[in-house]
Amino acid sequence: MKLTCPVNKCRADNNMQAEVCIRCGTPLHGYARLSAYQAQLFNQGLLEAQKGQFARARDLFAAVVYWCPTDIEARNALAMACYALNDLAEACHQWKTVLERSPTDRLATQSLAALANATSQAKLGLVSIREQSSKPHSKKRR
């Protein structure tokens, strides 16, 4: 397994145990530990979601996204946790952010479509209820 140097102008592939980058000399030990911690937080989030602890999962995924805003998998997981908590606005925001960075992401595309469909169905239901309640009721007289 390789560790890519975090310096944008370098991006050299290094051995995971390397103390410094082979090309630019940037210290890598702390960066490697941080990368491993990101994976640990993500995996903890998955375990919490599997247990139905969506608020805890959301917080763990949010931490990963905060540290690594380009992590599409973590952002999708954050959106799904928000959706499970019925925070539809935040789920929608996260999936739109995924699509800004990865326009062909299937999970975000399908989830936004399903969310839009559910929202429009709910609005139609409300319109139908309002229409029925605004009609005068006719009482049968005996």
Side-chain angles (χ1 to χ4, degrees):
M1 193 166 160
K2 300 286 183 184
L3 176 64
T4 303
C5 178
V7 176
N8 284 336
K9 292 181 180 179
C10 179
R11 307 299 291 167
D13 285 333
N14 296 273
N15 186 305
M16 281 298 288
Q17 284 74 35
E19 290 291 321
V20 296
C21 175
I22 57 174
R23 183 179 298 153
C24 70
T26 298
L28 296 175
H29 183 69
Y31 178 71
R33 288 181 56 205
L34 180 60
S35 295
Y37 191 60
Q38 169 196 350
Q40 181 183 353
L41 288 176
F42 183 81
N43 289 334
Q44 284 178 325
L46 290 177
L47 289 173
E48 295 297 330
Q50 289 171 348
K51 293 188 288 187
Q53 300 295 321
F54 297 112
R56 177 88 173 114
R58 177 203 53 214
D59 294 345
L60 290 163
F61 295 138
V64 175
V65 167
Y66 179 78
W67 282 334
C68 306
T70 59
D71 188 330
I72 299 298
E73 189 175 17
R75 197 172 290 277
N76 267 321
L78 174 58
M80 288 188 289
C82 291
Y83 182 82
L85 291 167
N86 206 29
D87 187 352
L88 305 183
E90 185 61 23
C92 184
H93 168 74
Q94 295 301 329
W95 279 318
K96 285 180 178 179
T97 303
V98 167
L99 290 177
E100 287 171 4
R101 294 188 170 125
S102 179
T104 60
D105 187 272
R106 179 185 273 171
L107 178 60
T109 302
Q110 291 175 347
S111 298
L112 277 175
L115 190 57
N117 187 39
T119 303
S120 66
Q121 291 297 324
K123 286 180 182 176
L124 285 176
L126 286 175
V127 169
S128 176
I129 291 169
R130 286 183 184 143
E131 287 174 353
Q132 289 175 1
S133 65
S134 66
K135 291 180 183 175
H137 295 282
S138 60
K139 292 184 179 180
K140 291 185 179 178
R141 296 185 185 192
R142 293 184 189 195

